[in-house]
Amino acid sequence: MKSKRHIYWLAAIPLLAVALLGIQIFRRNAYRIAADFNYPFLAGIKSVENTARKSAILSRPKSELINELLQLQQENDTMRLKQRDYEILASHNAELRRLLALPQRTGFKTVFAELYLRDPLFWEERFSLNQGTDAGIREGAAVLCRINKENNDETPHYALVGKISDVSKHTAVVSTVNNIHCRFGILLPESRAPGIATGSRKQTGKIRGRIRYLPRDVKIKAGEKIYTSGLSDSTPPGLFLGYIAADKHGKPVVREKNRLYQEAEFVPVAKLDAIHKLIILVPEEKP
Amino acid sequence: MIANCSVIFLLFMMALISETISGSFGISIPLLACLVFYLASVWGWQIMLLPATVVGAVIDLVYARPIIVNSIIMPMICLLPLLQSLNKGRTTLLFYIMPGAIAGIMSTVPWLFIQIIPGFNWSILPSGILTSINAAVSGALIMPLMIIMLDSNARLLGMPTIYRAQPGKRRNTGK
């Protein structure tokens, strides 16, 4: 009897190891099942939180809410007029591309989502959203958040947060710009230097990313703005990422990597602690 | 049998949801680890080995973590009730502070190493230690409270309680 039990345990251990390995291999599929199974429970609690947030807004004075609404309507009208201009520009661009026999650019559709789950152990590297493939989200799509405008008006309203790394029917996981596995093709418009931005880890309490493959002969300035280059099909160009980091003397944090390239550190502009609502830019299907 | 399994499943689901919600607010409370310890103490570690492995995988999958480590950590937590046998079975409520703290540490320290090892990034060590201390303290506080709550429920449902558990035995009937 005792020897039978030993055989049972000896058989159970390799089976457990195989099961673990299987989960690891099919992690993405297993994630989809687990995330969708837990979604109704977590979303239910999130809806209670949202109801409380809405109640807090409704508790504000009506006059204040009306003023905000009117202001938003004005902003909306201005945006519509600007959008019309951009649509004309886009049609001109498409016509030029057609004449030059260049491939047409695909557009991006926007999906709005809310942050609904966060891992305390990977707080600034990864979080989950309450929208998934049902809303049209795909892996690799860029994720943006609203930022507070600084004193200069040239600062964009939105900043790049990261990209979608896993997606299930109802949820999507965002790998943030602080995640070492998250990479973006970037451009420094002032010094006209291309590079690849990768996430980095916290260094002495500050979050610093790294820009690799910057041409060595380009002089980079501290505080220079960083935008996406748009070389990848999944990320549109011109998304604001952050600034080139400065050391205590105000000089850019740059290291020469080899005879061809240099590396620079950057400060991501998205405040990941305070985000709640996000915008996902999903590339439209090619015709 | 089915009733017991349903209660265990419900407890796991409640702990999983509570842990993920508290985690979303940045509070790392090792509720699942404490629950695994409690159930392993009550039902025997052999029985809880498989459910602990599954629930460990589920929490990592829900958080979309890059590696599924908890399905190794949770079965290890199942072995913690054997500490009771070191104490010759004389256990008080305060005794459970220690396994609670150990469960908290066990559920956070491997992640600290996983973050440090690629690139030997020692700069995250202070914040990682703080997270582990936070998990240990919350585990130490949660464990006695969880025992009080779950034992009182178990008495109402006529299920075995932790005080009648015999460490190292396959199953405690509670009778």
Side-chain angles (χ1 to χ4, degrees), chain A residues 20 31 45 119 201-202, chain B residues 21 61 65 71 115 121 123:
Chain A
L20 283 176
Y31 156 73
I45 289 153
D119 187 350
R201 297 259 161 80
K202 256 187 185 174
Chain B
I21 289 165
L61 289 169
R65 284 169 178 162
S71 43
Q115 283 177 299
N121 189 1
S123 58

Side-chain angles (χ1 to χ4, degrees), chain A residues 5 8-9 13 16 19-20 23-24 26-32 34-35 37-38 41-42 45-46 49 115-123 125-128 165-166 173 180-181 200-205, chain B residues 9 13 16-17 19-29 45-47 49-50 53 57-58 60-69 71-72 75 107-108 111 114-116 118 121 123-124 127 131 170:
Chain A
R5 193 176 287 173
Y8 163 72
W9 282 111
I13 290 164
L16 210 62
L20 283 176
I23 294 172
Q24 200 67 55
F26 300 105
R27 196 190 66 81
R28 287 199 164 180
N29 293 327
Y31 156 73
R32 281 171 201 149
F37 180 76
N38 282 292
F41 306 104
L42 294 168
I45 289 153
K46 204 71 194 170
E49 193 189 317
L115 190 151
Y116 102 117
L117 187 64
R118 235 173 151 158
D119 187 350
L121 299 173
F122 294 92
W123 190 255
E125 290 180 35
R126 189 179 297 113
F127 53 80
S128 299
S165 60
D166 281 304
V173 178
I180 50 166
H181 301 295
S200 193
R201 297 259 161 80
K202 256 187 185 174
Q203 288 171 8
T204 59
Chain B
F9 177 78
M13 277 304 290
L16 183 82
I17 290 163
E19 187 166 332
T20 46
I21 289 165
S22 63
S24 288
F25 290 102
I27 309 156
S28 178
I29 303 172
W45 64 270
Q46 296 97 329
I47 290 171
L49 214 55
L50 189 67
T53 310
V58 170
D60 284 349
L61 289 169
V62 168
Y63 274 135
R65 284 169 178 162
I67 311 166
I68 294 155
V69 171
S71 43
I72 298 164
S107 59
T108 49
W111 293 109
I114 284 166
Q115 283 177 299
I116 287 172
N121 189 1
S123 58
I124 60 154
S127 63
T131 311
R170 177 170 272 272

